[in-house]
Amino acid sequence: MPVNKIVDSFDEAVADIEDGATIMIGGFGIVAGAPSLLLEALARKGSKDLTMVSNVTGFGKMVWKQLGFKFAEDPDILVRNGQIKKAIATAPVSTIYENNFERLLRAGKVELETVSQGTLAERIRAAKAGLGGVYVSVGVGTVVEEGKETKIIDGKKYILELPLKADFALIKAHKGDRWGNLVYRRTSRTFNAVMAGAATVTIAEVEEIVELGELDADAIHTPGIYVDRVVVRPLVIEEEEVEINAEAKESYEKFKERKGN
Amino acid sequence: MQEKERLDRQTIALRVAKEFQDGNVVNLGIGLPGLACNFVPAGREVLFHAEIGVLGFGEMTAPGEGDWELVNAGGQTVHEQPGMSCFDHAEAFVMIRGGHVDVSVMGAFQVSEKGDLANYMVPERQIGVIGGAMDLASGAKKLIIAMNHTTKDGQPRVLKQCTYPITALNCVKLLITDIAVIEVTEKGMVLKEVAPEWTPEEVQRLTEPTLIVDPDCHEIELM
């Protein structure tokens, strides 16, 4: 029987993400690399007590919609929906305004583990590669070192960082085929390509599904072995009204100001 | 006493860019450091690296005109240019941690006499944004800090010991502030340049550790 990893809908793609699951979410924080429609589907499903592994905890749809993005959800949708128990992130809060995660953190409703970005990437890669961990020098002498095993190698101090595995990885790619081969575009590869294969089930949201062979064998970024499900974004979406409240508007203005700098 | 004029953000960025050598791979942090990409000295070819996974990108685009899938670490759209390469996050940080990035420029809250850096968390806020700062501070061959010399209420930010949580130890090589250029050496902090009208004594008064005034200490050169 032909291998076919393509699933018909976003709801079907996330149907088995149960309460308490650990999920990785690809992207950088910039919505271009975020699996927006998988996140929307998971929000509809409503699974609770999720542990989320991602670069950021999200800025919210408002910011991205205002900037003109069609698919505008980032991890914030799960945060504001009350589905997150714990986040493992490198930039959990915004430097310019209080995001939903910070609000919940201050209220004691979520837990946080802050990781440096390169260490997050290596811990995920270690899980994907079946390694027992990696020794890194980043974080020596800082809060990151606390409670961790250290080792001197060639006269330099290293911290043992353990692999980070998830039940599900939600990623976003540019094109994919039925074997799960993926290519990304420009700066949207980010954590998407790293997380592919680091979870029991990797689900890829793509802009286009192509026939086998259309992706050049030398140019495939993520070989299909790491991918379990592929789901395609719709060509046309219904335009929705974005409700602008004063608070969101203010944070957007600040965001724009920062971007202008 | 009315305080003397300090360098503005653009001028600090201009001075930072003077440090970029021909062929350098340079990573610029969010905010003021990012401005330095507009001031690469004429005749030098510099490759900009962003931890989001791109090397050799061009200048920022006009607002709203860029490709949203080609952005720098601050989320600003940048121009594509021949020779540019894109990669994933693990690769981007292999470049950083493996010592392949020549220069990293970032901002700071505090810098210590030994070159310790504090720039990820204001203690009062209790939540930090580490991002890629720890990686870049530890991994880049040369770390340049661009910042204001004092806090808003005039307190020194160049200290004997950092009081804020540490990003990385012994990492800062050069400090470019709104009143001075200071090199961090094994002997201590060496004052190399001062802003126009400023004297070494005036810079010292706003600096906690004792500065070694370079015999060649002069007014900041921008060109």
Side-chain angles (χ1 to χ4, degrees):
Chain A
M1 213 170 87
V3 173
N4 185 15
K5 295 180 179 176
I6 298 164
V7 293
D8 293 332
S9 75
F10 284 88
D11 290 314
E12 186 188 333
V14 302
D16 54 352
I17 303 184
E18 303 297 345
D19 292 357
T22 296
I23 54 164
M24 287 175 178
I25 302 171
F28 181 71
I30 313 303
V31 78
S36 298
L37 299 188
L38 285 171
L39 291 170
E40 281 182 18
L42 186 52
R44 279 194 296 275
K45 180 167 166 62
S47 316
K48 297 264 187 276
D49 296 326
L50 302 171
T51 295
M52 168 171 97
V53 180
S54 57
N55 189 46
V56 300
T57 61
F59 296 97
K61 187 178 187 173
M62 178 57 56
V63 166
W64 307 117
K65 269 282 177 192
Q66 295 275 352
L67 287 169
F69 284 97
K70 210 161 41 158
F71 303 106
E73 292 295 358
D74 68 11
D76 177 75
I77 188 173
L78 303 180
V79 175
R80 66 174 189 264
N81 223 13
Q83 292 174 264
I84 301 301
K85 181 185 71 179
K86 181 183 176 182
I88 300 172
T90 85
V93 296
S94 164
T95 51
I96 47 172
Y97 73 106
E98 189 185 64
N99 66 359
N100 285 319
F101 185 82
E102 180 168 0
R103 193 170 46 76
L104 292 178
L105 189 65
R106 294 203 186 283
K109 289 180 177 163
V110 285
E111 296 164 44
L112 169 67
E113 180 182 343
T114 312
V115 187
S116 92
Q117 218 167 90
T119 296
L120 183 65
E122 284 304 319
R123 287 180 66 190
I124 295 168
R125 211 189 69 81
K128 176 176 181 168
L131 305 179
V134 281
Y135 282 102
V136 303
S137 60
V138 173
V140 167
T142 76
V143 65
V144 164
E145 185 184 330
E146 283 169 19
K148 289 177 187 158
E149 198 182 303
T150 60
K151 188 171 183 149
I152 307 289
I153 302 171
D154 251 353
K156 191 172 170 181
K157 190 175 182 185
Y158 291 82
I159 304 167
L160 176 62
E161 294 283 1
L162 300 177
L164 197 51
K165 197 173 168 43
D167 300 309
F168 296 88
L170 311 183
I171 63 168
K172 153 76 179 45
H174 184 52
K175 292 179 183 178
D177 63 27
R178 67 177 173 85
W179 282 10
N181 294 312
L182 303 175
V183 295
Y184 309 87
R185 243 198 103 239
R186 302 297 185 253
T187 48
S188 294
R189 206 178 314 179
T190 61
F191 277 103
N192 290 307
V194 186
M195 290 172 174
T200 309
V201 178
T202 296
I203 311 169
E205 169 175 340
V206 300
E207 276 162 53
E208 191 184 343
I209 287 178
V210 297
E211 291 298 321
L212 288 187
E214 272 190 50
L215 303 177
D216 187 301
D218 288 327
I220 287 169
H221 299 137
T222 296
I225 191 169
Y226 298 125
V227 179
D228 301 282
R229 295 171 198 162
V230 179
V231 57
V232 69
R233 286 180 168 185
L235 285 174
V236 183
I237 57 154
E238 283 175 37
E239 275 303 316
E240 59 172 335
E241 286 292 314
V242 181
E243 204 178 305
I244 301 173
N245 61 37
E247 197 185 340
K249 200 166 179 185
E250 194 190 326
S251 65
Y252 170 65
E253 288 304 324
K254 282 187 190 157
F255 185 80
K256 250 196 344 194
E257 210 172 279
R258 195 194 114 211
K259 295 197 95 65
N261 286 335
Chain B
M1 188 186 81
Q2 198 184 353
E3 209 196 55
K4 290 175 181 173
E5 200 180 334
R6 299 184 179 211
L7 303 184
D8 63 17
R9 290 161 55 86
Q10 298 281 347
T11 314
I12 297 172
L14 183 63
R15 177 60 190 81
V16 166
K18 226 186 117 202
E19 294 297 317
F20 304 160
Q21 303 303 312
D22 221 3
N24 274 176
V25 171
V26 176
N27 184 296
L28 300 177
I30 295 168
L32 190 157
L35 298 174
C37 77
N38 300 324
F39 301 115
V40 178
R44 291 185 202 170
E45 190 167 41
V46 171
L47 273 67
F48 288 107
H49 172 279
E51 58 269 36
I52 192 167
V54 58
L55 175 66
F57 58 89
E59 290 179 5
M60 289 175 207
T61 73
E65 284 179 14
D67 173 352
W68 274 113
E69 288 195 311
L70 183 55
V71 295
N72 64 17
Q76 290 145 324
T77 52
V78 294
H79 284 289
E80 186 158 341
Q81 65 174 17
M84 184 182 85
S85 56
C86 295
F87 32 87
D88 68 43
H89 240 84
E91 190 78 52
F93 278 89
V94 163
M95 292 177 191
I96 293 168
R97 295 170 163 219
H100 308 282
V101 172
D102 297 303
V103 179
S104 165
V105 187
M106 57 178 89
F109 298 131
Q110 298 178 335
V111 171
S112 86
E113 191 170 13
K114 288 197 164 66
D116 299 344
L117 168 68
N119 76 347
Y120 83 93
M121 180 159 80
V122 181
E124 297 79 54
R125 198 175 178 196
Q126 291 177 311
I127 313 167
V129 176
I130 295 178
M134 283 189 181
D135 305 273
L136 282 157
S138 316
K141 284 183 204 157
K142 179 174 180 174
L143 177 63
I144 300 175
I145 295 299
M147 68 176 201
N148 289 334
H149 207 88
T150 54
T151 62
K152 277 179 187 152
D153 52 5
Q155 296 305 305
R157 297 167 75 182
V158 184
L159 304 170
K160 287 179 179 161
Q161 294 278 344
C162 294
T163 57
Y164 283 15
I166 294 291
T167 305
L169 299 170
N170 300 316
C171 55
V172 180
K173 298 284 191 293
L174 191 70
L175 190 55
I176 298 177
T177 76
D178 51 0
I179 58 170
V181 176
I182 295 168
E183 200 177 294
V184 182
T185 73
E186 282 182 6
K187 288 180 190 160
M189 290 187 137
V190 179
L191 181 63
K192 307 285 283 187
E193 299 172 28
V194 292
E197 311 279 312
W198 286 74
T199 66
E201 295 72 32
E202 288 163 339
V203 172
Q204 178 65 72
R205 273 200 286 276
L206 297 175
T207 310
E208 198 183 72
T210 304
L211 297 170
I212 302 164
V213 181
D214 191 284
D216 186 32
C217 182
H218 55 272
E219 189 173 291
I220 285 182
E221 282 174 13
L222 297 171
M223 292 300 165

